[in-house]
């Protein structure tokens, strides 16, 4: 081989080496670029995860606040109803002595056929009807078994006609409003 061919071969080899080196540099740059892209994607994923976590926390807080508000609304509504019922019961307690006086007037009169007696009886019925419309009921007592939730025993009497602990006389009528006792019935109980 002559020198020219050797030189050309050497130049070719050098060119190949240069091309290989350029390829390696290019590969290194590609690897660096890919590594940077991976890092960017990891940062994006990390930010996405952070955003997801923050979103979840906000959602949990919102759900808790909604539940607390719903409980507050229910509690407020219940308190309003209880307050209204308490007001109605207090008003009814003030009216009951009037009904009692009508009962006494009717029970003490011997002239049950007079217009005056019938007028008093009609007024008493109107009171009772109005109370019933408001949700007030008389507590049944006569001939019922004595119940401390609804009856207040004023006296006990030996009476063989009735069973033990049976109400034999009502001295004052008891009333209840929506199953809540306004006033217990005053009764006489058989032993």
């Amino acid at each position: 081989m002559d020198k020219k061919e050797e030189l050309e071969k050497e130049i070719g080899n050098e060119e190949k080496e240069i091309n290989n080196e350029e390829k390696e540099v290019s590969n290194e740059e590609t690897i660096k670029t890919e590594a940077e892209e991976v890092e960017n994607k990891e940062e994006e994923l990390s930010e996405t995860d952070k955003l997801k976590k923050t979103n979840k926390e906000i959602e949990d807080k919102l759900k808790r606040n909604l539940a607390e508000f719903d409980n507050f609304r229910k509690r407020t509504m219940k308190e309003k109803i209880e307050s209204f019922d308490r007001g109605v019961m207090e008003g009814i307690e003030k009216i009951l002595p009037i009904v009692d006086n009508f009962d006494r007037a009717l029970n003490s009169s011997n002239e049950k056929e007079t217009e005056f007696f019938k007028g008093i009886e009609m007024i008493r019925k109107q009171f009772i009807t109005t109370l019933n419309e408001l949700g007030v009921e008389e507590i049944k007592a006569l001939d019922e078994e004595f119940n401390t939730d609804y009856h207040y025993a004023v006296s006990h009497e030996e009476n063989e006609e009735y069973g033990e602990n049976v109400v034999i006389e009502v001295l004052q009528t008891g009333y209840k409003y929506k199953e809540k006792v306004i006033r217990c019935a005053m009764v006489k109980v058989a032993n």
Side-chain angles (χ1 to χ4, degrees):
M1 257 206 272
D2 62 347
K3 277 192 170 194
K4 186 176 176 187
E5 286 179 5
E6 280 181 32
L7 277 175
E8 284 178 4
K9 204 175 193 186
E10 245 179 74
I11 291 174
N13 286 340
E14 285 180 17
E15 283 179 359
K16 284 181 183 176
E17 281 181 33
I18 290 173
N19 283 340
N20 286 340
E21 285 177 11
E22 285 178 357
K23 285 181 182 176
E24 285 179 20
V25 169
S26 175
N27 283 341
E28 286 177 16
E29 287 176 4
T30 304
I31 290 172
K32 283 181 184 177
T33 305
E34 288 176 359
E36 288 173 2
E37 287 177 8
V38 167
E39 285 178 18
N40 288 339
K41 286 183 180 178
E42 285 177 358
E43 286 176 13
E44 287 177 16
L45 286 175
S46 175
E47 287 181 34
T48 303
D49 289 342
K50 287 178 185 176
L51 289 174
K52 284 181 182 178
K53 184 178 178 183
T54 304
N55 188 29
K56 180 101 171 124
E57 289 172 0
I58 291 171
E59 186 179 341
D60 289 343
K61 284 181 183 179
L62 178 64
K63 285 179 181 178
R64 276 194 299 276
N65 285 339
L66 287 173
E68 286 176 15
F69 179 74
D70 191 44
N71 290 338
F72 170 76
R73 186 181 55 76
K74 288 176 183 176
R75 185 174 53 249
T76 303
M77 185 62 77
K78 183 179 176 186
E79 288 171 359
K80 281 182 182 180
I81 291 169
E82 288 174 356
S83 178
F84 178 79
D85 287 349
R86 218 176 6 263
V88 169
M89 288 175 66
E90 288 173 6
I92 291 168
E93 281 181 290
K94 292 179 181 179
I95 293 173
L96 290 180
I98 298 169
V99 175
D100 293 337
N101 287 334
F102 277 109
D103 288 340
R104 286 186 199 100
L106 292 171
N107 289 336
S108 68
S109 177
N110 293 332
E111 301 173 15
K112 300 197 188 282
E113 296 301 320
T114 65
E115 296 298 318
F116 181 76
F117 181 87
K118 290 178 182 178
I120 297 290
E121 193 174 43
M122 286 173 56
I123 294 171
R124 185 205 180 274
K125 284 181 184 178
Q126 188 176 12
F127 261 109
I128 296 299
T129 301
T130 302
L131 290 173
N132 288 338
E133 288 172 357
L134 292 172
V136 178
E137 300 175 24
E138 287 186 15
I139 294 174
K140 293 182 182 180
L142 191 61
D143 297 329
E144 298 284 324
E145 187 171 329
F146 179 74
N147 182 342
T148 56
D149 293 333
Y150 299 112
H151 307 130
Y152 177 72
V154 176
S155 66
H156 293 272
E157 184 178 295
E158 294 292 329
N159 192 324
E160 308 242 340
E161 293 178 29
Y162 295 95
E164 193 172 323
N165 281 336
V166 174
V167 175
I168 58 174
E169 186 179 347
V170 178
L171 304 172
Q172 185 179 44
T173 306
Y175 294 91
K176 62 183 177 178
Y177 172 71
K178 293 184 179 179
E179 300 305 316
K180 294 179 184 175
V181 175
I182 298 172
R183 180 177 78 187
C184 289
M186 288 186 172
V187 297
K188 189 183 286 188
V189 182
N191 282 343

